[in-house]
Amino acid sequence: MTDLNKALLAAYDEHLRGLGPVRDDETRDADGPLLRKSGGFRGFVTSPAADLGLRGAELDDLIARQRDFFAARGESVEWKTRGHDLPADLPERLTAAGFVAEDPETVLIGLAAELATQTPAPEGITLRRVTARTDMRRIAALQTEVWGEDWSWLVGDLTDNAAADPEGFLVVVAETDTPTPEVVSAAWLTRTPGTEFAGLWGGSTLAAWRGRGIYRSLVAHRARWAVEHGIRYLQVDASPDSTPILRRLGMHAVTTTTPYVWTPPAS
């Protein structure tokens, strides 16, 4: 790992291991070395430190407490792990407790100023900032089509965040220049309060429109907005499809992240 990557990873560990924004329908608390958020789409557990400081039976007890806490609520929960976390056997212990690993992603960080290129949307496509609930429904429908699962929960999530923090939350759609515009891709940016970081999310594109540069134009568009709003660093939890594109644009891979999800048994 280069010195730059080490510095970026240290900044990530310092600033980006928290719970993020907490909405009115969510609550947050702590359990030992963990931060915990309940309510919303599903619960969330994260460690502010890369080393939990617990081993063996003590770690198993901590994991079981999280599972039992959300079981009592009848709520699923995501435990966010990182590739450099300790102890190294945390994933195995989560699996033994009934948590299921989702697909791993690469954590990338880049300088907003370097990503803020004048990269236009491809011909026939317009990028537009949106805040209205009707547009958020179109984004949720896009996500549902791309991923083949119900993303209707995203409507409230995007709408509430856009209303609560207009200077730190940006949602952009890529839509066709046609009499009835079709949303073919969408992406958003979330500023991390009290830091110089913002996260880039979304970017899913309908299959027929992939490979045309829409994703790159959405990254550049959000980066330009970030620079205008005093944001220095942009971070992405990237899929295997997005990682090569983002690395070519100048982002740096610093670690990986894998969600471990526990779901209440069906009644």
Side-chain angles (χ1 to χ4, degrees):
M1 181 179 287
T2 67
D3 289 343
L4 174 59
N5 283 33
K6 290 178 182 177
L8 292 174
L9 178 58
Y12 174 89
D13 281 337
E14 181 179 357
H15 297 294
L16 297 182
R17 299 182 65 104
L19 294 173
V22 179
R23 302 198 322 244
D24 291 343
D25 61 343
E26 297 173 329
T27 57
R28 63 190 301 167
D29 63 354
D31 184 355
L34 298 176
L35 297 176
R36 186 168 61 193
K37 180 166 64 175
S38 53
F41 167 57
R42 68 184 179 194
F44 185 77
V45 170
T46 184
S47 167
D51 189 343
L52 282 169
L54 300 176
R55 303 293 187 268
E58 287 185 319
L59 179 56
D60 290 337
D61 288 344
L62 179 70
I63 294 169
R65 287 204 305 273
Q66 311 319 305
R67 180 195 60 206
D68 295 346
F69 173 85
F70 287 96
R73 294 176 53 86
E75 182 178 345
S76 61
V77 57
E78 172 190 337
W79 185 312
K80 186 177 180 68
T81 70
R82 287 84 172 180
H84 64 293
D85 282 352
L86 295 174
D89 64 351
L90 174 61
E92 289 78 9
R93 292 181 180 276
L94 286 168
T95 300
F99 286 76
V100 177
E102 296 190 337
D103 293 337
E105 295 176 311
T106 301
V107 177
L108 299 113
I109 299 175
L111 293 171
E114 293 181 358
L115 298 168
T117 58
Q118 295 301 319
T119 303
E123 184 177 356
I125 294 294
T126 295
L127 304 186
R128 179 172 65 91
R129 183 181 188 179
V130 296
T131 58
R133 193 176 189 88
T134 52
D135 285 311
M136 304 313 184
R137 290 196 189 99
R138 298 167 73 206
I139 294 172
L142 163 77
Q143 295 288 116
T144 297
E145 181 174 348
V146 169
W147 296 106
E149 58 187 32
D150 182 13
W151 279 67
S152 58
W153 60 268
L154 188 63
V155 177
D157 190 74
L158 294 179
T159 304
D160 292 347
N161 283 319
D165 188 13
E167 293 303 307
F169 191 74
L170 171 71
V171 185
V172 182
V173 294
E175 56 190 3
T176 57
D177 296 335
T178 55
T180 305
E182 177 188 11
V183 174
V184 299
S185 187
W188 47 101
L189 173 152
T190 305
R191 183 168 197 159
T192 303
T195 77
E196 296 181 294
F197 277 89
L200 300 182
W201 307 95
S204 300
T205 303
L206 293 178
W209 289 88
R210 293 171 193 162
R212 306 190 190 196
I214 294 174
Y215 184 79
R216 291 191 297 274
S217 67
L218 284 168
V219 170
H221 183 96
R222 287 175 290 168
R224 293 193 298 271
W225 189 89
V227 171
E228 293 170 0
H229 288 76
I231 296 167
R232 185 178 181 188
Y233 300 105
L234 295 175
Q235 179 263 323
V236 183
D237 291 349
S239 70
D241 289 338
S242 302
T243 297
I245 300 172
L246 293 167
R247 295 193 75 165
R248 287 196 296 271
L249 293 178
M251 299 194 80
H252 305 270
V254 299
T255 188
T256 59
T257 180
T258 303
Y260 279 77
V261 176
W262 181 84
T263 304
S267 57

